[in-house]
Amino acid sequence: MNFLAHFQLAWPEEGLLLGALEGDYYKGPISTGVSADMARGIRLHRAIDAFTDSHKTVNSLRSELPIALRRYAGILIDLSFDHYLSKHWGHYCDLPLTQFNASVYRILEQRQNEFSEGARAMLSRLVEYDILGCYGEWESVPASAARVGQRFRRGNPLLDINAQLAPLRPSLESAFVEFYPQLRLFAEAKRDRLD
């Protein structure tokens, strides 16, 4: 899952929100150098990713992607699911999306000194460009994918992917609608067993 989903699944616990961001940057065993509440958030982040990556709905969706894009299926599905979470937001959260996003940014900024360098840099981009707010528009999916692809060493295979990805929008949305309620149930149960 991508940022918006991780934050929604962590809401409203501060430490879980911190771990929802830091989880993308913190590698290896969790040391004592991390606050206890952020450590819980990193563990939740990792559990969510593992559940998602092994889920039959997500694996089936991977096989629908063009062969050239399957290597990047995780990135593309995560970004697409954040778009569909934005689109179906009212089913999953009582707070309006703009209010939720502002609250998440505020909490993360208040405790940004606890983040690694990579997470702090990402937080800066999230806030500056209101990335969480952009996912409501489909165009954010191929645009975000293209930005991720800039990090690859052998060229950017995710440039101009909208022509390949757009025809899959009904399948992506259908998979999201089927999968996300199951992920929420998993995350809610997991939160109680993080210590």
Coordinates of all heavy atoms in Angstrom, one line a residue, residues 72 142-161:
Y72 N 7.0 -4.0 -12.0 CA 6.7 -2.8 -11.3 C 5.2 -2.8 -10.7 O 4.7 -1.8 -10.3 CB 6.8 -1.5 -12.2 CG 8.2 -1.6 -12.9 CD1 8.2 -1.9 -14.3 CD2 9.4 -1.4 -12.2 CE1 9.4 -2.0 -14.9 CE2 10.6 -1.5 -12.9 CZ 10.6 -1.8 -14.2 OH 11.8 -1.9 -14.9
P142 N -0.1 7.9 -12.9 CA 1.0 7.8 -13.8 C 2.1 8.8 -13.5 O 3.3 8.6 -13.7 CB 0.4 8.0 -15.2 CG -1.0 8.5 -15.0 CD -1.4 8.1 -13.6
A143 N 1.7 10.0 -13.0 CA 2.7 11.0 -12.7 C 3.6 10.6 -11.6 O 4.8 10.7 -11.6 CB 2.0 12.4 -12.4
S144 N 3.0 10.0 -10.5 CA 3.8 9.5 -9.4 C 4.6 8.4 -9.8 O 5.8 8.3 -9.4 CB 2.8 9.1 -8.2 OG 2.1 10.2 -7.7
A145 N 4.1 7.5 -10.6 CA 4.9 6.3 -11.1 C 6.1 6.9 -11.9 O 7.2 6.3 -11.7 CB 4.1 5.4 -12.0
A146 N 5.9 7.9 -12.7 CA 7.1 8.4 -13.5 C 8.1 9.0 -12.5 O 9.3 8.8 -12.8 CB 6.6 9.5 -14.4
R147 N 7.7 9.6 -11.4 CA 8.7 10.2 -10.5 C 9.4 9.0 -9.8 O 10.6 9.1 -9.6 CB 8.0 11.1 -9.5 CG 7.7 12.5 -10.0 CD 7.3 13.4 -8.9 NE 6.0 13.0 -8.2 CZ 4.8 13.3 -8.7 NH1 4.6 13.9 -9.8 NH2 3.8 12.9 -8.0
V148 N 8.7 8.0 -9.4 CA 9.4 6.8 -8.8 C 10.4 6.2 -9.8 O 11.5 5.9 -9.4 CB 8.3 5.7 -8.4 CG1 9.0 4.4 -8.0 CG2 7.5 6.2 -7.3
G149 N 10.0 6.1 -11.1 CA 10.9 5.6 -12.1 C 12.2 6.3 -12.3 O 13.2 5.8 -12.8
Q150 N 12.2 7.6 -11.9 CA 13.4 8.4 -12.0 C 14.6 7.9 -11.1 O 15.7 8.2 -11.4 CB 13.1 9.9 -11.6 CG 12.3 10.6 -12.6 CD 11.9 12.0 -12.2 OE1 12.0 12.3 -11.0 NE2 11.4 12.8 -13.1
R151 N 14.2 7.1 -10.1 CA 15.2 6.5 -9.2 C 15.9 5.3 -9.8 O 16.9 4.9 -9.3 CB 14.6 6.1 -7.9 CG 13.9 7.3 -7.2 CD 13.4 6.8 -5.8 NE 12.2 7.6 -5.5 CZ 11.2 7.2 -4.8 NH1 11.1 5.9 -4.4 NH2 10.2 7.9 -4.6
F152 N 15.4 4.8 -10.9 CA 16.0 3.6 -11.5 C 17.2 3.9 -12.2 O 17.3 5.0 -12.9 CB 15.0 2.8 -12.4 CG 13.7 2.4 -11.7 CD1 12.5 2.3 -12.4 CD2 13.7 2.1 -10.3 CE1 11.4 1.9 -11.8 CE2 12.5 1.7 -9.7 CZ 11.4 1.6 -10.4
R153 N 18.2 3.0 -12.2 CA 19.5 3.3 -12.8 C 19.6 3.2 -14.3 O 20.4 3.7 -15.0 CB 20.6 2.4 -12.1 CG 20.8 2.7 -10.7 CD 21.7 1.8 -10.0 NE 21.6 2.0 -8.6 CZ 22.6 1.8 -7.8 NH1 23.7 1.3 -8.2 NH2 22.5 1.9 -6.5
R154 N 18.7 2.3 -14.8 CA 18.8 2.0 -16.3 C 17.6 2.6 -17.0 O 17.0 1.9 -17.8 CB 18.8 0.5 -16.5 CG 20.0 -0.2 -15.9 CD 20.0 -1.6 -16.2 NE 21.2 -2.2 -15.6 CZ 21.2 -3.4 -15.0 NH1 20.2 -4.1 -14.9 NH2 22.4 -3.8 -14.5
G155 N 17.4 3.9 -16.8 CA 16.3 4.5 -17.5 C 15.0 4.4 -16.7 O 14.9 3.7 -15.7
N156 N 14.0 5.1 -17.2 CA 12.7 5.2 -16.5 C 11.6 4.4 -17.3 O 11.0 4.9 -18.2 CB 12.3 6.6 -16.3 CG 11.1 6.8 -15.4 OD1 10.4 5.8 -15.2 ND2 10.8 8.0 -15.0
P157 N 11.3 3.2 -16.9 CA 10.3 2.4 -17.6 C 8.9 2.8 -17.3 O 8.0 2.3 -17.9 CB 10.6 1.0 -17.1 CG 11.1 1.2 -15.7 CD 11.9 2.4 -15.8
L158 N 8.7 3.8 -16.3 CA 7.4 4.2 -15.9 C 7.0 5.5 -16.5 O 6.0 6.1 -16.1 CB 7.3 4.2 -14.4 CG 7.6 2.8 -13.7 CD1 7.6 3.0 -12.2 CD2 6.7 1.8 -14.2
L159 N 7.8 6.0 -17.5 CA 7.4 7.2 -18.2 C 6.2 6.9 -19.1 O 6.2 5.8 -19.7 CB 8.5 7.8 -19.0 CG 9.5 8.7 -18.3 CD1 10.6 9.0 -19.2 CD2 8.8 9.9 -17.7
D160 N 5.3 7.7 -19.2 CA 4.2 7.6 -20.2 C 3.5 6.2 -20.1 O 3.2 5.6 -21.1 CB 4.7 7.8 -21.6 CG 5.3 9.2 -21.8 OD1 4.8 10.1 -21.2 OD2 6.4 9.3 -22.4
I161 N 3.2 5.8 -18.9 CA 2.5 4.4 -18.8 C 1.0 4.5 -18.8 O 0.3 3.5 -18.8 CB 3.0 3.7 -17.5 CG1 2.6 4.6 -16.3 CG2 4.4 3.4 -17.5 CD1 2.5 3.7 -15.0

